[in-house]
């Protein structure tokens, strides 16, 4: 199973970018006994549309294009449900057992997130 973070906007150079790059290269992710094949980050540029509704729609289309088949989406949103580590591990285990190829973490832009894809959502 691959872990993919799709985000609107790009990380600037600095501590956050360095930590992200170091974590993506962490040997624990790609170790032989790991259930994860890889960790990948896909940063999508913010829309330059003049109004928020158009920006959200353009960003949703770009996110949808970046989601591969056989994926589970995890939308990261401050209004969403909090899931503790044990529950999240159970979700990952279930998705692995169901042969899900990708777990996609989606982070929307400043105006919010709207998903317009046919990917499986749990």
């Amino acid at each position: 199973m691959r872990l993919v973070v799709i985000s609107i906007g790009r990380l600037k150079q600095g501590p956050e970018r360095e930590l992200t790059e170091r974590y993506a290269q962490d040997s624990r992710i790609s170790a032989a006994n790991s259930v994860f094949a890889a960790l990948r980050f896909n940063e999508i540029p913010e829309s330059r549309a003049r109004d928020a509704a158009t920006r959200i729609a353009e960003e949703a289309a770009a996110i949808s294009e970046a989601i591969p088949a056989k994926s589970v989406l995890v939308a990261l949103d401050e209004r969403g449900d909090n899931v503790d580590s044990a529950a999240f591990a159970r979700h990952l285990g279930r998705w692995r057992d169901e042969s899900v190829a990708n777990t996609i973490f989606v982070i929307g832009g400043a105006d919010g997130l709207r998903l317009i894809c046919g990917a499986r959502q749990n």
Side-chain angles (χ1 to χ4, degrees):
M1 175 189 311
R2 283 180 296 281
L3 301 176
V4 181
V5 177
I6 298 175
S7 64
I8 298 297
R10 300 198 184 274
L11 277 175
K12 295 179 174 63
Q13 292 300 324
E16 290 87 4
R17 165 125 351 241
E18 292 169 17
L19 284 170
T20 300
E21 290 170 356
R22 187 171 67 188
Y23 193 73
Q25 296 171 2
D26 191 321
S27 62
R28 291 174 291 182
I29 297 289
S30 58
N33 62 346
S34 176
V35 298
F36 307 115
L39 171 62
R40 191 169 50 94
F41 294 88
N42 184 353
E43 297 172 318
I44 297 173
E46 295 175 63
S47 168
R48 297 212 178 268
R50 295 176 68 80
D51 64 284
T54 304
R55 281 192 301 271
I56 291 171
E58 289 178 358
E59 291 168 355
I63 289 169
S64 295
E65 289 177 22
I67 297 172
K70 296 184 82 176
S71 295
V72 169
L73 300 182
V74 179
L76 303 176
D77 186 289
E78 65 186 8
R79 297 163 296 190
D81 294 335
N82 288 323
V83 179
D84 64 27
S85 296
F88 187 65
R90 286 191 298 275
H91 285 302
L92 285 173
R94 181 169 44 90
W95 297 330
R96 176 204 59 219
D97 296 345
E98 293 173 356
S99 299
V100 170
N102 307 285
T103 297
I104 310 291
F105 298 90
V106 181
I107 304 170
D111 297 307
L113 175 65
R114 184 180 84 190
L115 298 175
I116 54 169
C117 62
R120 188 172 145 201
Q121 297 182 31
N122 288 330

